[in-house]
């Protein structure tokens, strides 16, 4: 008489480090009831709970293949970390806050900035939130709220001033941040900037090469760092090229209606103006409308140079001189810089200056 054999059980897999990266999650495992936890991911991957936790937190001592495996399983089973628990354990929120003004942006500059940041944070443990503030409000208000409430691990903001009080406040409190634009303390904090001084130089040289002599400049706000860079560079370059240069009394961030009226007046008062340099797409469009309304032919009687983040102006008027700014690249870099400021506070801050090509 044969003895009954004991039931066979499948041994629990104990994959090597190499094998862990190639483990396949079975459909049956994905149908397990209950809210997925770190333990669930550990069981499916064959890794320790501590390893899973560190992989999800992008720990530097965990291999890239293991991180990919853990994040894939987490996505497949719908794992969502308990943010309150994470904050209690680590003191971190895993949130990066982008502080933006509610001023309208017709040409999707802000959308591209956010898209670049979101793509960089995708797959990381960090989430992006947008904290708005109104132009009439104190720009310090959202910064103070984030710091005092601890609602984010780092902040990113733009429209920087040379001696920006937000930068001074954050540096004093050693709170991680990155700026879209430089300040007088640029050596001490993370930033990404577009070299608007070079924009002025390149544009004026192109206008001079077309035989233009009398240039109207629609510059960025004088209170902001890039406005100072643009104006100082334009004046110096115009002097070196022997050009007559006038800076419009309105800045390039104002509404298209306000700009159109101011340019109309400038062209009427100064019929000799034969070129316009505009530092925003709206300003460039207002310049075209004003010039054409006065019977000026673009590319013949007058030339217009503009700066843009979205390829548009030469579709609007092929004769225009256009310099482009890669705002998506700026967003991606700033997200990386903010994370680095959180994770490696003692390291040198990440900084990059994008130089336009002439």
């Amino acid at each position: 008489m044969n003895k009954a054999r004991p039931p066979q059980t499948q041994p629990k897999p104990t994959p090597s480090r190499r094998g862990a990266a190639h483990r396949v999650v079975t459909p049956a495992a994905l149908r397990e009831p209950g809210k997925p936890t770190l333990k669930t991911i550990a069981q499916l991957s064959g890794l320790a709970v501590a390893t899973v936790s560190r992989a999800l937190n992008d720990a530097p001592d965990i291999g890239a293949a293991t991180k990919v495996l853990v994040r894939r399983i987490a996505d497949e089973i719908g794992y969502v970390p308990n943010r309150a628990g994470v904050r209690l354990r680590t003191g971190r929120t895993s949130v990066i806050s982008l502080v933006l003004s509610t001023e309208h942006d017709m040409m999707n500059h802000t959308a591209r900035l956010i898209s670049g940041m979101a793509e960089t944070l995708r797959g990381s443990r960090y989430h992006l939130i947008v904290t708005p503030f109104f132009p009439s409000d104190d720009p310090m208000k959202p910064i103070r709220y984030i710091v005092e409430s601890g609602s984010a691990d780092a902040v990113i903001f733009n429209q920087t001033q040379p001696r920006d009080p937000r930068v001074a406040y954050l540096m004093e409190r050693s709170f991680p941040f990155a700026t879209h634009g430089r300040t007088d303390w640029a050596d001490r904090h993370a930033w990404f900037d577009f070299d608007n001084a070079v924009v002025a130089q390149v544009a004026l040289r192109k206008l001079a090469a077309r035989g233009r002599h009398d240039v109207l400049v629609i510059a960025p706000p004088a209170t902001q760092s890039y406005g100072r860079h643009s104006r100082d560079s334009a004046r110096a370059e115009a002097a070196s090229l022997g050009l007559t240069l006038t800076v419009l009394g309105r800045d390039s961030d104002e509404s298209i209606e306000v700009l159109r009226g101011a340019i109309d007046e400038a062209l009427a008062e100064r019929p000799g103006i034969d070129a316009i340099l505009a530092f925003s797409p709206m300003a460039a469009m207002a310049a075209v409308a004003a010039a054409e309304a006065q019977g000026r032919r673009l590319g013949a009687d007058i030339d217009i140079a503009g700066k843009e983040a979205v390829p548009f102006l030469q579709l609007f008027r092929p004769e225009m001189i256009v310099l482009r700014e890669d705002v998506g690249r700026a967003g991606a870099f700033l997200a990386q810089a903010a994370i680095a400021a959180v994770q490696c506070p003692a390291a040198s801050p990440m900084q990059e200056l994008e130089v336009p090509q002439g």
Side-chain angles (χ1 to χ4, degrees):
M1 182 174 178
N2 293 330
K3 293 183 179 179
R5 293 182 179 179
Q8 298 295 311
T9 58
Q10 293 292 330
K12 185 176 181 179
T14 54
S16 64
R17 290 185 179 178
R18 177 178 295 179
H22 302 282
R23 182 176 176 81
V24 177
V25 181
T26 64
L30 297 180
R31 291 195 295 269
E32 289 181 359
K35 182 178 178 180
T37 65
L38 291 177
K39 186 177 179 181
T40 311
I41 300 173
Q43 290 172 339
L44 294 173
S45 64
L47 300 168
V49 172
T51 302
V52 169
S53 177
R54 293 183 63 75
L56 290 173
N57 287 315
D58 203 25
D61 60 329
I62 302 297
T66 300
K67 291 177 183 178
V68 169
L69 170 69
V70 169
R71 288 169 183 164
R72 177 172 64 81
I73 294 174
D75 289 342
E76 288 175 345
I77 66 176
Y79 170 75
V80 177
N82 184 323
R83 295 291 169 191
V86 171
R87 186 169 181 177
L88 284 172
R89 291 195 307 271
T90 66
R92 299 274 177 84
T93 63
S94 297
V95 168
I96 305 294
S97 181
L98 172 62
V99 179
L100 286 175
S101 168
T102 57
E103 290 173 304
H104 296 297
D105 187 343
M106 290 177 58
M107 305 312 297
N108 295 320
H109 182 282
T110 298
R112 292 209 167 196
L113 187 70
I114 293 173
S115 178
M117 292 180 185
E119 184 62 32
T120 297
L121 297 177
R122 182 183 182 185
S124 78
R125 67 186 178 92
Y126 290 94
H127 294 259
L128 180 68
I129 64 170
V130 176
T131 303
F133 72 94
F134 293 93
S136 58
D137 286 347
D138 179 1
M140 285 295 303
K141 182 178 178 180
I143 302 295
R144 287 196 189 97
Y145 172 80
I146 292 167
V147 173
E148 292 173 7
S149 67
S151 55
D153 292 338
V155 294
I156 300 170
F157 55 93
N158 61 2
Q159 298 182 339
T160 54
Q161 301 172 20
R163 300 186 71 80
D164 199 300
R166 297 169 296 179
V167 171
Y169 174 86
L170 291 166
M171 288 195 303
E172 181 181 347
R173 284 155 182 79
S174 299
F175 192 90
F177 71 99
T179 63
H180 191 195
R182 286 166 288 171
T183 70
D184 286 352
W185 306 298
D187 59 321
R188 297 170 55 190
H189 65 84
W191 53 264
F192 184 98
D193 203 2
F194 187 69
D195 199 333
N196 286 279
V198 173
V199 170
Q201 294 167 3
V202 171
L204 289 175
R205 289 169 192 168
K206 287 180 178 289
L207 291 170
R210 292 190 180 187
R212 302 308 177 185
H213 302 284
D214 195 339
V215 184
L216 177 68
V217 176
I218 310 169
T223 56
Q224 295 179 24
S225 296
Y226 86 114
R228 182 181 65 178
H229 301 154
S230 305
R231 292 162 188 260
D232 291 350
S233 178
R235 291 189 178 102
E237 190 64 24
S240 71
L241 295 170
L243 303 177
T244 298
L245 185 139
T246 304
V247 177
L248 189 70
R250 297 287 187 171
D251 66 65
S252 60
D253 283 1
E254 298 198 55
S255 72
I256 196 166
E257 295 83 8
V258 168
L259 290 170
R260 166 68 191 275
I263 298 167
D264 272 330
E265 291 179 9
L267 292 177
E269 292 173 2
R270 296 270 308 282
I273 291 174
D274 57 7
I276 300 175
L277 169 55
F279 276 84
S280 75
M282 284 190 296
M285 292 168 64
V288 170
E292 291 181 346
Q294 295 193 18
R296 309 281 191 98
R297 293 170 299 160
L298 195 62
D301 306 315
I302 192 168
D303 275 304
I304 297 175
K307 189 188 81 165
E308 65 182 359
V310 179
F312 168 79
L313 291 175
Q314 285 185 325
L315 297 175
F316 173 59
R317 291 293 185 275
E319 304 86 356
M320 292 185 68
I321 296 169
V322 175
L323 288 92
R324 294 194 173 92
E325 177 180 2
D326 190 346
V327 180
R329 177 185 168 195
F333 183 92
L334 288 168
Q336 294 170 358
I339 291 173
V342 172
Q343 296 182 340
C344 308
S348 297
M350 291 178 61
Q351 301 166 347
E352 185 167 334
L353 181 64
E354 180 185 353
V355 180
Q357 302 302 310

